[in-house]
Amino acid sequence: MTSAVLEVKDLSFCYEEGRPILQDLHLTIREGERVGLIGPNGAGKTTLFLLAGGILKAVSGQIRLCNQPVVPGIFRPELGMVFQNVNDQLFCPSVREDLAFGPTNMGLSPQEVERRVRSASIETGVEKLLERPPHQLSGGEKRMVAMAGILAMGSRLLLLDEPSANLDMRYRRRLINLLQKRQDCSMLIASHDLEVLLELCDRVILLAEGTIQADGLPKKIMAHTDLMHQYGLEVPHSLRRSLRKFYIRRG
Amino acid sequence: MHIPDGILPLSVGLAGYGLAALGTGYALHKIRQKEDPRSDVPKAALFTAAFFVASLIHIPIPPTSVHLILGGLMGVVLGFYAMPAIVIGLFFQAAMFQHGGLTTLGINACLVGIPALLSHFLFNLRHQRDWSNKPVVVTTLSFLGGSLGVLLTTIMATFLLLSMLPAHLDHDVARTGIYVMAFSHLPLALIEGIITAMVVTFLLRVKPELLKSETNHVKSDSHIDM
Amino acid sequence: MVGLKLDPFVHRNSWLHQWDPRYKFIGLMFLIFAFTLVQEVHLIPAMALVTALLFLQSSLPWRVWLSRLLVPAFFLLALAIVLPFFAGETVLWQLGPLALRLEGLLAFLLVAGKVLSIITIVFILFATTPMLLVIKAMRSLGLPELMADMLLFTYRYLFQLQDDYEGQSTAARLRGYQNSTSSLQTTSFLLGTLLVRSYEQSERIYKAMRLRGYGQHAFYAYPFSAESKDRWIFLLVTLVALVFALLG
């Protein structure tokens, strides 16, 4: 059995004096696993990400990243996160500086930083944009640059918040291919684009009302009409069609 | 460095209001002269909001932390609009977290706004003799604008505060007060100078049209037809 | 920006909440300006009484009021050290080199009383009136429309830009940014990015607003309808202010 990259135990969280966002959450992500995270808006998906990244402080419970406890405020390059709003992510005057930001903060040598910038930019196909200011890029290009900035850190766990939002079909495909090739990374992907999760993930978690309601194979969970409807989600089209075929064949 | 309500005499407060109204009135007058005066409203407002947010940033200097004033940067970016922007920012600071005050709004606006306008003129010196292409000059001017902004604000505020202290206060204490105030703001002046220079360099690389003088701003807008 | 939003309290039901915003704004402004005029220490109890009465009537939570005192408290603390111990001749009490002096103590009590009273009244004003109404009231009291527009937009986008900045700095922290004097460059990039984003957004907002009829002046046609009760309260508060201004 491969070792765990992320281990979450008894995790609870609430914003000041508000209703609990997460309650006694348990979750383990193993090396190389690609996990989809689904759930209605406000289910706590982004909160979970921020907790894992040490940005928020849990009310109770433990989070371990690569067998080391996550301490809020301590930089952990093993974890890379791509935000839902890419504009939050890109703030350097040029793409090159933005890609170098994480590796530089890791204390790597300039040569190593440069090597990582180059390989991450080639991997994401943004090598021609290196000298451009990120603000001028298209939405798809920005998303790729944001991905490259995370890949350049060599993170072992990627947390992706709605990675395919606002992407056209071409960039969406590029993103899926890019993530599929990354066999060495574990991923937790929060998305309402269930088709993307079906293609990418070997496991899906349904988060709602502060806890995990279901955890298992994507095709099994997402085809469960009652479960999906109960939490305001819909069975993805591709699964509906296969179900229909299944019924027609049987009928 | 905002003076709270209740410690300055009314006359000083009212004089501050008068001066600030003059500065704001001049900026409004300039806006109204434009072809479509309203086009500048969202821009000025968004910058004002951005500067308000920026002024909440605390930079830790152990054992304490300083919060940015950014008057110099406002002068550089906003020019004459800095005055209304500062008035609005201070109004919300007073209204929402009792930072500064309503009776001292005018005087506080002057304390930040006058140095901001000076920074604006200082930064515009770059247009002399084609200096604007020289990064060293631009960096130096914006650094000076940022740090002098803080220094001037501090000096003016210190003298104002001392003038309101009772006459029978020991002079030694007064002098110590001046020194402590001035020295405790030196790191902030340095930091604001550096940040102003770096933000200006950033903007020149990324979005240079943002730093053009306000007349150019309108021209670049006039192509928006609906 | 914790504690920035006062809106949770603006929908309570005291007469201070119901008071016509225009009269409330001028009335309370009169009062705080009158308070700044006070130079007599023996007026401090009266001032505190008026303030306390208003605060009790406002039915605002005192915990929130307390949290508002944090910023001015530092300033008052500095004065509390300087004035009573260094200013004045009449020594009230002495411990070694430390001497508590009467004149300094009185000067401090005067300043502290004024600062606390005015802060409380400003707090009452903004905690019992939605910001939108304050701005509309100022507009109908003669604030230029351009200025009122700017106030409204600034207020509208404050919270969003705050979120934007938080998002940016969170993303940067996940890639190793730490807010300190050694990373001023990154802080500057974040600030610069905030300005660029604001600039670009303002262009979009303006277009969207034009498409929905911005500039028709109708926005400020809020039907403020003062009843005689509003005017009576206003008269009373103004009288109180006048008394303080004359006696002070």
Side-chain angles (χ1 to χ4, degrees):
Chain A
M1 189 159 246
T2 46
S3 62
V5 177
L6 181 74
E7 264 183 294
V8 176
K9 273 186 193 150
D10 300 313
L11 183 71
S12 293
F13 181 81
C14 64
Y15 290 101
E16 42 188 310
E17 293 175 30
R19 70 188 167 87
I21 305 288
L22 297 174
Q23 262 182 320
D24 301 325
L25 195 99
H26 284 263
L27 173 65
T28 304
I29 295 177
R30 294 179 196 295
E31 208 148 301
E33 221 176 4
R34 287 198 292 248
V35 183
L37 185 59
I38 60 174
N41 287 334
K45 299 184 293 260
T46 307
T47 305
L48 177 62
F49 281 9
L50 292 176
L51 283 163
I55 294 296
L56 294 175
K57 197 176 179 306
V59 174
S60 65
Q62 291 116 36
I63 307 172
R64 290 172 75 84
L65 177 65
C66 301
N67 285 321
Q68 298 283 323
V70 170
V71 182
I74 303 289
F75 174 37
R76 295 294 295 275
E78 302 97 304
L79 177 143
M81 180 162 159
V82 177
F83 280 53
Q84 183 171 2
N85 184 351
V86 276
N87 290 320
D88 285 343
Q89 192 127 12
L90 310 172
F91 56 85
C92 290
S94 70
V95 170
R96 180 187 296 281
E97 281 158 279
D98 215 289
L99 300 196
F101 184 77
T104 308
N105 283 327
M106 290 163 68
L108 301 173
S109 70
Q111 294 82 10
E112 175 62 12
V113 171
E114 179 51 33
R115 195 192 64 73
R116 286 186 179 214
V117 167
R118 208 175 327 117
S119 80
S121 62
I122 291 169
E123 194 178 345
T124 51
V126 299
E127 69 271 26
K128 291 206 177 73
L129 307 174
L130 281 177
E131 308 309 327
R132 298 261 302 273
H135 312 271
Q136 295 175 357
L137 305 179
S138 75
E141 289 168 336
K142 280 183 186 166
R143 179 76 62 182
M144 286 302 167
V145 172
M147 283 297 308
I150 299 306
L151 295 180
M153 293 202 301
S155 305
R156 286 169 66 191
L157 173 65
L158 305 187
L159 304 181
L160 310 176
D161 200 350
E162 297 290 348
S164 60
N166 299 322
L167 291 188
D168 66 16
M169 284 301 140
R170 207 159 34 107
Y171 271 107
R172 187 167 169 276
R173 183 49 49 197
R174 260 173 78 175
L175 180 90
I176 293 173
N177 291 342
L178 172 71
L179 295 177
Q180 247 160 1
K181 273 191 213 136
R182 271 279 167 169
Q183 297 291 346
D184 51 333
C185 288
S186 312
M187 295 174 200
L188 186 58
I189 310 172
S191 186
H192 293 291
D193 185 347
L194 303 184
E195 304 290 352
V196 162
L197 299 183
L198 270 178
E199 269 195 67
L200 278 175
C201 300
D202 17 57
R203 182 179 154 201
V204 145
I205 290 167
L206 199 166
L207 182 68
E209 291 158 14
T211 50
I212 291 174
Q213 308 288 351
D215 181 347
L217 290 174
K219 280 189 181 160
K220 238 179 182 166
I221 291 180
M222 291 196 221
H224 195 313
T225 316
D226 293 341
L227 182 73
M228 295 293 276
H229 281 191
Q230 188 183 346
Y231 296 107
L233 300 166
E234 274 187 16
V235 175
H237 269 281
S238 56
L239 287 184
R240 275 188 238 173
R241 227 171 291 132
S242 67
L243 280 178
R244 213 174 300 139
K245 259 186 237 154
F246 177 70
Y247 285 123
I248 292 168
R249 224 177 296 142
R250 273 182 39 166
Chain B
M1 193 61 268
H2 300 323
I3 299 180
D5 278 317
I7 62 159
L8 289 181
L10 183 66
S11 53
V12 178
L14 291 181
Y17 261 104
L19 260 177
L22 219 66
T24 309
Y26 182 73
L28 292 185
H29 172 70
K30 281 221 146 188
I31 298 177
R32 283 203 196 92
Q33 278 179 337
K34 293 181 176 168
E35 213 177 309
D36 179 7
R38 283 165 189 284
S39 69
D40 265 12
V41 167
K43 199 179 302 161
L46 271 263
F47 276 142
T48 306
F51 277 112
F52 183 95
V53 169
S55 73
L56 299 175
I57 298 172
H58 283 257
I59 303 220
I61 302 182
T64 160
S65 74
V66 293
H67 85 95
L68 302 174
I69 304 175
L70 294 177
L73 186 60
M74 288 175 94
V76 166
V77 175
L78 299 178
F80 282 101
Y81 291 60
M83 204 56 172
I86 288 166
V87 168
I88 291 172
L90 289 172
F91 172 77
F92 285 127
Q93 288 200 345
M96 293 192 283
F97 31 73
Q98 272 64 45
H99 203 142
L102 278 193
T103 58
T104 50
L105 179 61
I107 200 74
N108 282 330
C110 293
L111 288 176
V112 184
I114 293 170
L117 292 182
L118 290 178
S119 299
H120 166 65
F121 291 125
L122 196 66
F123 188 62
N124 271 358
L125 283 181
R126 74 191 191 283
H127 294 310
Q128 308 270 313
R129 302 185 211 170
D130 255 353
W131 280 344
S132 48
N133 298 327
K134 294 203 173 120
V136 186
V137 176
V138 173
T139 309
T140 312
L141 288 178
S142 44
F143 174 81
L144 286 178
S147 52
L148 287 182
V150 175
L151 287 181
L152 261 178
T153 302
T154 310
I155 292 169
M156 296 196 310
T158 311
F159 278 104
L160 254 181
L161 284 175
L162 284 173
S163 72
M164 73 86 205
L165 286 177
H168 42 267
L169 188 81
D170 290 357
H171 284 293
D172 281 349
V173 179
R175 224 171 293 133
T176 317
I178 292 185
Y179 293 149
V180 170
M181 280 273 282
F183 281 113
S184 69
H185 278 77
L186 276 184
L188 181 64
L190 192 69
I191 287 176
E192 290 225 357
I194 295 172
I195 286 189
T196 306
M198 282 176 166
V199 171
V200 165
T201 314
F202 176 90
L203 293 177
L204 284 175
R205 280 177 71 186
V206 171
K207 199 101 186 154
E209 64 260 42
L210 213 144
L211 282 178
K212 286 185 185 139
S213 60
E214 55 254 40
T215 40
N216 297 344
H217 268 291
V218 191
K219 274 180 204 146
S220 70
D221 274 355
S222 50
H223 65 262
I224 306 171
D225 359 89
M226 303 268 150
Chain C
M1 229 182 298
V2 182
L4 204 154
K5 292 179 186 174
L6 288 170
D7 286 356
F9 315 112
V10 296
H11 296 297
R12 298 190 175 199
N13 225 354
S14 74
W15 60 263
L16 272 160
H17 286 80
Q18 306 299 324
W19 195 8
D20 185 302
R22 292 169 302 173
Y23 287 105
K24 179 159 50 173
F25 186 76
I26 329 181
L28 294 183
M29 281 300 263
F30 277 166
L31 200 59
I32 60 173
F33 272 105
F35 281 177
T36 61
L37 276 175
V38 170
Q39 296 301 331
E40 303 289 332
V41 178
H42 61 258
L43 280 179
I44 296 293
M47 206 158 77
L49 189 73
V50 170
T51 309
L53 218 65
L54 279 175
F55 182 73
L56 288 177
Q57 288 291 308
S58 71
S59 74
L60 291 168
W62 62 272
R63 271 175 184 285
V64 184
W65 170 76
L66 216 58
S67 71
R68 297 288 143 157
L69 295 184
L70 216 64
V71 178
F74 282 105
F75 173 78
L76 286 180
L77 201 70
L79 283 187
I81 294 165
V82 173
L83 286 176
F85 292 103
F86 293 100
E89 324 250 90
T90 324
V91 175
L92 288 177
W93 176 76
Q94 187 141 18
L95 184 80
L98 219 59
L100 189 67
R101 292 154 204 268
L102 177 67
E103 291 85 353
L105 184 68
L106 290 181
F108 168 70
L109 286 179
L110 183 67
V111 172
K114 282 160 74 171
V115 169
L116 289 179
S117 300
I118 295 176
I119 279 174
T120 308
I121 289 172
V122 173
F123 171 64
I124 293 172
L125 171 61
F126 289 103
T128 61
T129 328
M131 189 58 84
L132 189 70
L133 284 189
V134 176
I135 296 170
K136 283 185 172 178
M138 290 198 293
R139 167 77 191 114
S140 71
L141 290 169
L143 186 79
E145 188 166 309
L146 274 178
M147 199 66 183
D149 276 356
M150 274 198 251
L151 273 164
L152 278 173
F153 283 120
T154 305
Y155 186 67
R156 157 72 180 77
Y157 286 101
L158 267 186
F159 305 102
Q160 189 193 321
L161 290 187
Q162 171 70 11
D163 284 348
D164 284 355
Y165 189 82
E166 296 257 300
Q168 277 174 218
S169 69
T170 301
R173 272 154 69 196
L174 282 167
R175 290 199 283 154
Y177 163 62
Q178 261 159 354
N179 180 16
S180 75
T181 41
S182 58
S183 51
L184 288 184
Q185 167 131 50
T186 307
T187 306
S188 308
F189 285 173
L190 290 170
L191 274 177
T193 303
L194 185 72
L195 288 176
V196 172
R197 285 176 79 177
S198 312
Y199 179 81
E200 288 172 348
Q201 194 176 8
S202 73
E203 312 247 282
R204 290 194 297 271
I205 291 169
Y206 181 62
K207 290 176 201 167
M209 280 176 8
R210 282 276 297 269
L211 289 169
R212 295 202 295 155
Y214 173 55
Q216 306 300 316
H217 307 279
F219 183 75
Y220 293 103
Y222 173 80
F224 284 120
S225 58
E227 296 165 21
S228 58
K229 196 173 120 201
D230 293 307
R231 292 189 199 96
W232 279 113
I233 300 171
F234 174 68
L235 207 66
L236 189 71
V237 171
T238 311
L239 271 176
V240 172
L242 215 59
V243 169
F244 277 103
L246 291 177
L247 291 180

